[in-house]
Amino acid sequence: MTDDCVFCKIRDGEIPSDILYRDELCFVIRDIAPLAPTHLLVIPVEHFERISELESRFDQTFGAMFAAAKDSAKAEGVSDSGYRLMINQGRDGGQEVPHLHMHLLGGRRLGGLGIPSERSSRND
Ligand code: AMP
């Protein structure tokens, strides 16, 4: 199901967004709510919700996504200073948009992974 998918709509030009990079397998946009000076999203062209759905397209999809991330980091000027690549998967991973995507964060010293809310909520 891709009818209501925000990233499919951006891919198809139904929602305006600057597409910074695009090839046949993935595209790159700026996150609408950036958590760092550079916050990009690297998104497969095809609608996969989960990594497990990639199956035989795993290598080529991730190859393209990591190459796009590397080149985008360079274009953003964060290649040398460093950056973080991050994929949220499913409910426990905090995935909000159910179209596989990789965050690229950089441009400032990032904090820790900010891991689980479960442990802190038990201590509340
Ligand atoms: P995740 O929690 O990994 O699913 O992250 C989804 C990300 O998509 C969030 O960081 C949102 O800010 C971002 N996002 C949602 N809608 C848009 C949009 N229209 N354009 C750019 N980024 C978006």
Side-chain angles (χ1 to χ4, degrees), residues 18 35 50 57-58 63 85 113:
D18 277 345
L35 299 172
R50 302 282 186 113
R57 280 164 295 177
F58 183 96
L85 298 175
L113 289 179

Side-chain angles (χ1 to χ4, degrees), residues 15-68:
I15 293 177
S17 178
D18 277 345
I19 300 200
L20 306 177
Y21 171 82
R22 176 172 213 145
D23 63 29
E24 66 279 8
L25 292 170
C26 70
F27 60 102
V28 179
I29 61 172
R30 289 195 195 283
D31 196 292
I32 202 168
L35 299 172
T38 293
H39 187 171
L40 308 182
L41 299 172
V42 183
I43 305 170
V45 167
E46 194 171 332
H47 182 96
F48 301 105
E49 180 171 342
R50 302 282 186 113
I51 293 172
S52 56
E53 292 170 17
L54 291 168
E55 298 184 341
S56 64
R57 280 164 295 177
F58 183 96
D59 287 5
Q60 63 170 8
T61 304
F62 274 122
M65 289 172 69
F66 275 96

Side-chain angles (χ1 to χ4, degrees), residues 6-7 10 29-32 41 88 94-97 101 103:
V6 64
F7 293 162
I10 289 172
I29 61 172
R30 289 195 195 283
D31 196 292
I32 202 168
L41 299 172
N88 297 323
Q95 184 177 8
E96 288 174 7
V97 176
H101 53 282
H103 297 256

Side-chain angles (χ1 to χ4, degrees), residues 72-84:
S72 298
K74 186 157 193 200
E76 290 287 308
V78 299
S79 208
D80 291 339
S81 51
Y83 53 92
R84 181 174 295 161

